[in-house]
PDB file of all heavy atoms in Angstrom:
ATOM      1  N   ARG P 178      15.669   6.602  -6.105  1.00 86.00           N
ATOM      2  CA  ARG P 178      14.328   6.690  -6.706  1.00 86.00           C
ATOM      3  C   ARG P 178      13.738   8.080  -6.499  1.00 86.00           C
ATOM      4  O   ARG P 178      13.164   8.672  -7.411  1.00 86.00           O
ATOM      5  CB  ARG P 178      13.415   5.614  -6.120  1.00 86.00           C
ATOM      6  CG  ARG P 178      13.651   4.236  -6.684  1.00 86.00           C
ATOM      7  CD  ARG P 178      12.531   3.272  -6.287  1.00 86.00           C
ATOM      8  NE  ARG P 178      12.449   3.061  -4.859  1.00 86.00           N
ATOM      9  CZ  ARG P 178      13.085   2.100  -4.192  1.00 86.00           C
ATOM     10  NH1 ARG P 178      13.864   1.253  -4.835  1.00 86.00           N
ATOM     11  NH2 ARG P 178      12.939   1.972  -2.890  1.00 86.00           N
ATOM     12  N   ASP P 179      13.890   8.614  -5.264  1.00 83.00           N
ATOM     13  CA  ASP P 179      13.340   9.936  -4.968  1.00 83.00           C
ATOM     14  C   ASP P 179      14.025  11.012  -5.805  1.00 83.00           C
ATOM     15  O   ASP P 179      13.364  11.893  -6.363  1.00 83.00           O
ATOM     16  CB  ASP P 179      13.490  10.238  -3.480  1.00 83.00           C
ATOM     17  CG  ASP P 179      12.774  11.518  -3.084  1.00 83.00           C
ATOM     18  OD1 ASP P 179      11.602  11.678  -3.484  1.00 83.00           O
ATOM     19  OD2 ASP P 179      13.382  12.341  -2.386  1.00 83.00           O
ATOM     20  N   LEU P 180      15.349  10.948  -5.925  1.00 84.00           N
ATOM     21  CA  LEU P 180      16.078  11.932  -6.730  1.00 84.00           C
ATOM     22  C   LEU P 180      15.696  11.844  -8.206  1.00 84.00           C
ATOM     23  O   LEU P 180      15.552  12.864  -8.886  1.00 84.00           O
ATOM     24  CB  LEU P 180      17.590  11.748  -6.555  1.00 84.00           C
ATOM     25  CG  LEU P 180      18.141  12.162  -5.195  1.00 84.00           C
ATOM     26  CD1 LEU P 180      19.589  11.687  -5.049  1.00 84.00           C
ATOM     27  CD2 LEU P 180      18.025  13.664  -5.005  1.00 84.00           C
ATOM     28  N   ILE P 181      15.519  10.631  -8.707  1.00 86.00           N
ATOM     29  CA  ILE P 181      15.126  10.460 -10.113  1.00 86.00           C
ATOM     30  C   ILE P 181      13.723  11.030 -10.337  1.00 86.00           C
ATOM     31  O   ILE P 181      13.482  11.725 -11.321  1.00 86.00           O
ATOM     32  CB  ILE P 181      15.210   8.976 -10.525  1.00 86.00           C
ATOM     33  CG1 ILE P 181      16.680   8.545 -10.584  1.00 86.00           C
ATOM     34  CG2 ILE P 181      14.526   8.740 -11.870  1.00 86.00           C
ATOM     35  CD1 ILE P 181      16.875   7.040 -10.705  1.00 86.00           C
ATOM     36  N   ARG P 182      12.795  10.744  -9.423  1.00 85.00           N
ATOM     37  CA  ARG P 182      11.433  11.301  -9.553  1.00 85.00           C
ATOM     38  C   ARG P 182      11.469  12.827  -9.576  1.00 85.00           C
ATOM     39  O   ARG P 182      10.783  13.460 -10.367  1.00 85.00           O
ATOM     40  CB  ARG P 182      10.559  10.814  -8.398  1.00 85.00           C
ATOM     41  CG  ARG P 182      10.079   9.410  -8.551  1.00 85.00           C
ATOM     42  CD  ARG P 182       9.059   9.049  -7.465  1.00 85.00           C
ATOM     43  NE  ARG P 182       8.821   7.638  -7.493  1.00 85.00           N
ATOM     44  CZ  ARG P 182       9.271   6.777  -6.575  1.00 85.00           C
ATOM     45  NH1 ARG P 182       9.944   7.207  -5.524  1.00 85.00           N
ATOM     46  NH2 ARG P 182       9.026   5.495  -6.687  1.00 85.00           N
ATOM     47  N   ARG P 183      12.256  13.425  -8.679  1.00 83.00           N
ATOM     48  CA  ARG P 183      12.359  14.894  -8.654  1.00 83.00           C
ATOM     49  C   ARG P 183      12.926  15.425  -9.964  1.00 83.00           C
ATOM     50  O   ARG P 183      12.456  16.429 -10.488  1.00 83.00           O
ATOM     51  CB  ARG P 183      13.258  15.350  -7.505  1.00 83.00           C
ATOM     52  CG  ARG P 183      12.634  15.208  -6.169  1.00 83.00           C
ATOM     53  CD  ARG P 183      13.534  15.824  -5.127  1.00 83.00           C
ATOM     54  NE  ARG P 183      13.309  15.190  -3.843  1.00 83.00           N
ATOM     55  CZ  ARG P 183      14.050  15.425  -2.777  1.00 83.00           C
ATOM     56  NH1 ARG P 183      15.056  16.258  -2.849  1.00 83.00           N
ATOM     57  NH2 ARG P 183      13.779  14.820  -1.655  1.00 83.00           N
ATOM     58  N   GLY P 184      13.942  14.752 -10.480  1.00 85.00           N
ATOM     59  CA  GLY P 184      14.538  15.177 -11.746  1.00 85.00           C
ATOM     60  C   GLY P 184      13.556  15.073 -12.894  1.00 85.00           C
ATOM     61  O   GLY P 184      13.465  15.962 -13.739  1.00 85.00           O
ATOM     62  N   LEU P 185      12.787  13.994 -12.942  1.00 82.00           N
ATOM     63  CA  LEU P 185      11.812  13.814 -14.019  1.00 82.00           C
ATOM     64  C   LEU P 185      10.648  14.793 -13.911  1.00 82.00           C
ATOM     65  O   LEU P 185      10.057  15.167 -14.917  1.00 82.00           O
ATOM     66  CB  LEU P 185      11.288  12.372 -14.020  1.00 82.00           C
ATOM     67  CG  LEU P 185      12.303  11.295 -14.402  1.00 82.00           C
ATOM     68  CD1 LEU P 185      11.699   9.906 -14.207  1.00 82.00           C
ATOM     69  CD2 LEU P 185      12.787  11.482 -15.827  1.00 82.00           C
ATOM     70  N   ALA P 186      10.318  15.227 -12.701  1.00 83.00           N
ATOM     71  CA  ALA P 186       9.216  16.178 -12.511  1.00 83.00           C
ATOM     72  C   ALA P 186       9.496  17.504 -13.209  1.00 83.00           C
ATOM     73  O   ALA P 186       8.578  18.200 -13.620  1.00 83.00           O
ATOM     74  CB  ALA P 186       8.953  16.409 -11.026  1.00 83.00           C
ATOM     75  N   LYS P 187      10.774  17.842 -13.385  1.00 83.00           N
ATOM     76  CA  LYS P 187      11.120  19.094 -14.066  1.00 83.00           C
ATOM     77  C   LYS P 187      10.690  19.079 -15.521  1.00 83.00           C
ATOM     78  O   LYS P 187      10.500  20.128 -16.117  1.00 83.00           O
ATOM     79  CB  LYS P 187      12.629  19.350 -13.956  1.00 83.00           C
ATOM     80  CG  LYS P 187      13.069  19.622 -12.546  1.00 83.00           C
ATOM     81  CD  LYS P 187      14.560  19.765 -12.441  1.00 83.00           C
ATOM     82  CE  LYS P 187      14.946  19.937 -10.981  1.00 83.00           C
ATOM     83  NZ  LYS P 187      16.370  19.864 -10.776  1.00 83.00           N
ATOM     84  N   ASP P 188      10.538  17.899 -16.101  1.00 87.00           N
ATOM     85  CA  ASP P 188      10.119  17.763 -17.490  1.00 87.00           C
ATOM     86  C   ASP P 188       8.672  17.286 -17.608  1.00 87.00           C
ATOM     87  O   ASP P 188       8.290  16.716 -18.635  1.00 87.00           O
ATOM     88  CB  ASP P 188      11.041  16.781 -18.224  1.00 87.00           C
ATOM     89  CG  ASP P 188      12.469  17.289 -18.296  1.00 87.00           C
ATOM     90  OD1 ASP P 188      12.652  18.512 -18.439  1.00 87.00           O
ATOM     91  OD2 ASP P 188      13.394  16.468 -18.200  1.00 87.00           O
ATOM     92  N   ALA P 189       7.878  17.491 -16.575  1.00 92.00           N
ATOM     93  CA  ALA P 189       6.480  17.045 -16.598  1.00 92.00           C
ATOM     94  C   ALA P 189       5.726  17.743 -17.722  1.00 92.00           C
ATOM     95  O   ALA P 189       5.908  18.943 -17.950  1.00 92.00           O
ATOM     96  CB  ALA P 189       5.812  17.351 -15.255  1.00 92.00           C
ATOM     97  N   PRO P 190       4.871  17.008 -18.427  1.00 94.00           N
ATOM     98  CA  PRO P 190       4.079  17.628 -19.499  1.00 94.00           C
ATOM     99  C   PRO P 190       3.160  18.722 -18.952  1.00 94.00           C
ATOM    100  O   PRO P 190       2.606  18.575 -17.861  1.00 94.00           O
ATOM    101  CB  PRO P 190       3.248  16.465 -20.057  1.00 94.00           C
ATOM    102  CG  PRO P 190       3.802  15.221 -19.465  1.00 94.00           C
ATOM    103  CD  PRO P 190       4.600  15.598 -18.265  1.00 94.00           C
ATOM    104  N   GLU P 191       3.020  19.799 -19.695  1.00 95.00           N
ATOM    105  CA  GLU P 191       2.199  20.943 -19.270  1.00 95.00           C
ATOM    106  C   GLU P 191       0.762  20.539 -18.944  1.00 95.00           C
ATOM    107  O   GLU P 191       0.131  21.135 -18.085  1.00 95.00           O
ATOM    108  CB  GLU P 191       2.186  22.017 -20.359  1.00 95.00           C
ATOM    109  CG  GLU P 191       3.523  22.691 -20.574  1.00 95.00           C
ATOM    110  CD  GLU P 191       3.856  23.678 -19.473  1.00 95.00           C
ATOM    111  OE1 GLU P 191       3.060  24.606 -19.241  1.00 95.00           O
ATOM    112  OE2 GLU P 191       4.916  23.510 -18.842  1.00 95.00           O
ATOM    113  N   GLU P 192       0.226  19.532 -19.632  1.00 96.00           N
ATOM    114  CA  GLU P 192      -1.169  19.148 -19.440  1.00 96.00           C
ATOM    115  C   GLU P 192      -1.357  18.103 -18.336  1.00 96.00           C
ATOM    116  O   GLU P 192      -2.488  17.736 -18.003  1.00 96.00           O
ATOM    117  CB  GLU P 192      -1.770  18.626 -20.750  1.00 96.00           C
ATOM    118  CG  GLU P 192      -1.190  17.317 -21.239  1.00 96.00           C
ATOM    119  CD  GLU P 192       0.145  17.452 -21.982  1.00 96.00           C
ATOM    120  OE1 GLU P 192       0.640  18.575 -22.208  1.00 96.00           O
ATOM    121  OE2 GLU P 192       0.701  16.401 -22.338  1.00 96.00           O
ATOM    122  N   ALA P 193      -0.264  17.628 -17.725  1.00 96.00           N
ATOM    123  CA  ALA P 193      -0.366  16.622 -16.670  1.00 96.00           C
ATOM    124  C   ALA P 193      -1.039  17.224 -15.438  1.00 96.00           C
ATOM    125  O   ALA P 193      -0.844  18.393 -15.106  1.00 96.00           O
ATOM    126  CB  ALA P 193       1.018  16.095 -16.308  1.00 96.00           C
ATOM    127  N   CYS P 195      -1.659  17.810 -11.495  1.00 97.00           N
ATOM    128  CA  CYS P 195      -0.747  17.855 -10.355  1.00 97.00           C
ATOM    129  C   CYS P 195      -1.351  18.638  -9.198  1.00 97.00           C
ATOM    130  O   CYS P 195      -2.353  19.333  -9.346  1.00 97.00           O
ATOM    131  CB  CYS P 195       0.583  18.499 -10.750  1.00 97.00           C
ATOM    132  SG  CYS P 195       0.494  20.279 -11.010  1.00 97.00           S
ATOM    133  N   VAL P 196      -0.696  18.505  -8.069  1.00 97.00           N
ATOM    134  CA  VAL P 196      -0.864  19.418  -6.945  1.00 97.00           C
ATOM    135  C   VAL P 196       0.466  20.138  -6.846  1.00 97.00           C
ATOM    136  O   VAL P 196       1.524  19.496  -6.838  1.00 97.00           O
ATOM    137  CB  VAL P 196      -1.192  18.666  -5.642  1.00 97.00           C
ATOM    138  CG1 VAL P 196      -1.082  19.589  -4.441  1.00 97.00           C
ATOM    139  CG2 VAL P 196      -2.575  18.053  -5.715  1.00 97.00           C
ATOM    140  N   VAL P 248       0.055  21.051 -14.784  1.00 97.00           N
ATOM    141  CA  VAL P 248       1.407  21.561 -14.546  1.00 97.00           C
ATOM    142  C   VAL P 248       1.523  22.975 -15.102  1.00 97.00           C
ATOM    143  O   VAL P 248       2.042  23.880 -14.433  1.00 97.00           O
ATOM    144  CB  VAL P 248       2.453  20.614 -15.177  1.00 97.00           C
ATOM    145  CG1 VAL P 248       3.835  21.252 -15.204  1.00 97.00           C
ATOM    146  CG2 VAL P 248       2.474  19.278 -14.444  1.00 97.00           C
ATOM    147  N   GLY P 249       0.998  23.191 -16.307  1.00 97.00           N
ATOM    148  CA  GLY P 249       1.070  24.513 -16.934  1.00 97.00           C
ATOM    149  C   GLY P 249       0.353  25.584 -16.143  1.00 97.00           C
ATOM    150  O   GLY P 249       0.873  26.686 -15.966  1.00 97.00           O
ATOM    151  N   HIS P 252       2.282  26.309 -12.826  1.00 96.00           N
ATOM    152  CA  HIS P 252       3.482  27.102 -13.109  1.00 96.00           C
ATOM    153  C   HIS P 252       3.114  28.542 -13.465  1.00 96.00           C
ATOM    154  O   HIS P 252       3.790  29.484 -13.025  1.00 96.00           O
ATOM    155  CB  HIS P 252       4.299  26.481 -14.242  1.00 96.00           C
ATOM    156  CG  HIS P 252       5.258  25.431 -13.790  1.00 96.00           C
ATOM    157  ND1 HIS P 252       6.191  25.627 -12.799  1.00 96.00           N
ATOM    158  CD2 HIS P 252       5.434  24.157 -14.204  1.00 96.00           C
ATOM    159  CE1 HIS P 252       6.893  24.536 -12.617  1.00 96.00           C
ATOM    160  NE2 HIS P 252       6.447  23.617 -13.456  1.00 96.00           N
ATOM    161  N   ASN P 256       4.536  31.600 -11.349  1.00 96.00           N
ATOM    162  CA  ASN P 256       5.389  32.594 -12.007  1.00 96.00           C
ATOM    163  C   ASN P 256       4.791  33.991 -11.931  1.00 96.00           C
ATOM    164  O   ASN P 256       5.526  34.971 -11.819  1.00 96.00           O
ATOM    165  CB  ASN P 256       5.676  32.184 -13.445  1.00 96.00           C
ATOM    166  CG  ASN P 256       6.591  30.974 -13.508  1.00 96.00           C
ATOM    167  OD1 ASN P 256       7.370  30.727 -12.588  1.00 96.00           O
ATOM    168  ND2 ASN P 256       6.479  30.206 -14.573  1.00 96.00           N
ATOM    169  N   GLY P 267      11.015  32.350  -4.565  1.00 96.00           N
ATOM    170  CA  GLY P 267       9.902  31.524  -5.018  1.00 96.00           C
ATOM    171  C   GLY P 267      10.344  30.156  -5.490  1.00 96.00           C
ATOM    172  O   GLY P 267      11.379  30.003  -6.133  1.00 96.00           O
ATOM    173  N   ARG P 268       9.567  29.158  -5.147  1.00 95.00           N
ATOM    174  CA  ARG P 268       9.847  27.793  -5.581  1.00 95.00           C
ATOM    175  C   ARG P 268       8.516  27.051  -5.716  1.00 95.00           C
ATOM    176  O   ARG P 268       7.597  27.271  -4.937  1.00 95.00           O
ATOM    177  CB  ARG P 268      10.728  27.085  -4.567  1.00 95.00           C
ATOM    178  CG  ARG P 268      10.904  25.609  -4.898  1.00 95.00           C
ATOM    179  CD  ARG P 268      12.000  24.974  -4.141  1.00 95.00           C
ATOM    180  NE  ARG P 268      13.241  25.368  -4.801  1.00 95.00           N
ATOM    181  CZ  ARG P 268      14.431  25.157  -4.324  1.00 95.00           C
ATOM    182  NH1 ARG P 268      14.580  24.581  -3.165  1.00 95.00           N
ATOM    183  NH2 ARG P 268      15.510  25.525  -4.973  1.00 95.00           N
ATOM    184  N   THR P 269       8.460  26.173  -6.700  1.00 95.00           N
ATOM    185  CA  THR P 269       7.269  25.348  -6.911  1.00 95.00           C
ATOM    186  C   THR P 269       7.670  23.886  -6.881  1.00 95.00           C
ATOM    187  O   THR P 269       8.614  23.482  -7.554  1.00 95.00           O
ATOM    188  CB  THR P 269       6.618  25.664  -8.270  1.00 95.00           C
ATOM    189  OG1 THR P 269       6.365  27.065  -8.349  1.00 95.00           O
ATOM    190  CG2 THR P 269       5.315  24.911  -8.444  1.00 95.00           C
ATOM    191  N   THR P 270       6.965  23.108  -6.100  1.00 94.00           N
ATOM    192  CA  THR P 270       7.161  21.668  -6.053  1.00 94.00           C
ATOM    193  C   THR P 270       5.897  21.015  -6.598  1.00 94.00           C
ATOM    194  O   THR P 270       4.788  21.360  -6.169  1.00 94.00           O
ATOM    195  CB  THR P 270       7.408  21.189  -4.612  1.00 94.00           C
ATOM    196  OG1 THR P 270       8.542  21.882  -4.091  1.00 94.00           O
ATOM    197  CG2 THR P 270       7.644  19.690  -4.560  1.00 94.00           C
ATOM    198  N   LEU P 271       6.058  20.108  -7.555  1.00 95.00           N
ATOM    199  CA  LEU P 271       4.915  19.461  -8.193  1.00 95.00           C
ATOM    200  C   LEU P 271       4.774  18.018  -7.724  1.00 95.00           C
ATOM    201  O   LEU P 271       5.765  17.289  -7.647  1.00 95.00           O
ATOM    202  CB  LEU P 271       5.080  19.488  -9.713  1.00 95.00           C
ATOM    203  CG  LEU P 271       5.186  20.862 -10.351  1.00 95.00           C
ATOM    204  CD1 LEU P 271       5.443  20.713 -11.847  1.00 95.00           C
ATOM    205  CD2 LEU P 271       3.948  21.686 -10.089  1.00 95.00           C
ATOM    206  N   ILE P 272       3.554  17.630  -7.454  1.00 95.00           N
ATOM    207  CA  ILE P 272       3.227  16.256  -7.062  1.00 95.00           C
ATOM    208  C   ILE P 272       2.272  15.708  -8.111  1.00 95.00           C
ATOM    209  O   ILE P 272       1.192  16.269  -8.306  1.00 95.00           O
ATOM    210  CB  ILE P 272       2.581  16.226  -5.668  1.00 95.00           C
ATOM    211  CG1 ILE P 272       3.539  16.838  -4.642  1.00 95.00           C
ATOM    212  CG2 ILE P 272       2.163  14.807  -5.296  1.00 95.00           C
ATOM    213  CD1 ILE P 272       2.901  17.127  -3.312  1.00 95.00           C
ATOM    214  N   PRO P 273       2.651  14.627  -8.801  1.00 96.00           N
ATOM    215  CA  PRO P 273       1.766  14.083  -9.832  1.00 96.00           C
ATOM    216  C   PRO P 273       0.548  13.401  -9.208  1.00 96.00           C
ATOM    217  O   PRO P 273       0.684  12.636  -8.252  1.00 96.00           O
ATOM    218  CB  PRO P 273       2.647  13.072 -10.566  1.00 96.00           C
ATOM    219  CG  PRO P 273       3.695  12.692  -9.587  1.00 96.00           C
ATOM    220  CD  PRO P 273       3.899  13.876  -8.680  1.00 96.00           C
ATOM    221  N   ASP P 297       3.350   7.837  -8.812  1.00 88.00           N
ATOM    222  CA  ASP P 297       4.796   7.748  -8.602  1.00 88.00           C
ATOM    223  C   ASP P 297       5.572   8.709  -9.492  1.00 88.00           C
ATOM    224  O   ASP P 297       6.671   9.120  -9.159  1.00 88.00           O
ATOM    225  CB  ASP P 297       5.295   6.325  -8.871  1.00 88.00           C
ATOM    226  CG  ASP P 297       4.924   5.388  -7.730  1.00 88.00           C
ATOM    227  OD1 ASP P 297       4.730   5.873  -6.607  1.00 88.00           O
ATOM    228  OD2 ASP P 297       4.835   4.181  -7.970  1.00 88.00           O
ATOM    229  N   ARG P 298       5.003   9.045 -10.665  1.00 89.00           N
ATOM    230  CA  ARG P 298       5.724   9.930 -11.581  1.00 89.00           C
ATOM    231  C   ARG P 298       4.744  10.528 -12.575  1.00 89.00           C
ATOM    232  O   ARG P 298       3.625  10.088 -12.706  1.00 89.00           O
ATOM    233  CB  ARG P 298       6.825   9.174 -12.309  1.00 89.00           C
ATOM    234  CG  ARG P 298       6.308   8.075 -13.211  1.00 89.00           C
ATOM    235  CD  ARG P 298       7.430   7.235 -13.802  1.00 89.00           C
ATOM    236  NE  ARG P 298       6.942   6.187 -14.638  1.00 89.00           N
ATOM    237  CZ  ARG P 298       6.359   5.077 -14.220  1.00 89.00           C
ATOM    238  NH1 ARG P 298       6.180   4.888 -12.935  1.00 89.00           N
ATOM    239  NH2 ARG P 298       5.938   4.172 -15.059  1.00 89.00           N
ATOM    240  N   PHE P 299       5.218  11.545 -13.262  1.00 91.00           N
ATOM    241  CA  PHE P 299       4.412  12.170 -14.318  1.00 91.00           C
ATOM    242  C   PHE P 299       4.434  11.330 -15.556  1.00 91.00           C
ATOM    243  O   PHE P 299       5.332  10.582 -15.824  1.00 91.00           O
ATOM    244  CB  PHE P 299       4.935  13.581 -14.630  1.00 91.00           C
ATOM    245  CG  PHE P 299       4.567  14.587 -13.593  1.00 91.00           C
ATOM    246  CD1 PHE P 299       5.479  14.985 -12.641  1.00 91.00           C
ATOM    247  CD2 PHE P 299       3.300  15.128 -13.560  1.00 91.00           C
ATOM    248  CE1 PHE P 299       5.139  15.906 -11.671  1.00 91.00           C
ATOM    249  CE2 PHE P 299       2.953  16.051 -12.599  1.00 91.00           C
ATOM    250  CZ  PHE P 299       3.875  16.438 -11.645  1.00 91.00           C
TER     251      PHE P 299
END
Side-chain angles (χ1 to χ4, degrees):
R178 282 192 297 269
D179 187 48
L180 289 169
I181 290 168
R182 283 188 191 107
R183 287 186 207 173
L185 292 173
K187 293 176 184 171
D188 296 324
E191 293 285 303
E192 67 279 356
C195 72
V196 168
V248 168
H252 274 307
N256 290 334
R268 173 166 281 170
T269 306
T270 303
L271 300 176
I272 301 168
D297 285 336
R298 64 187 179 286
F299 285 101

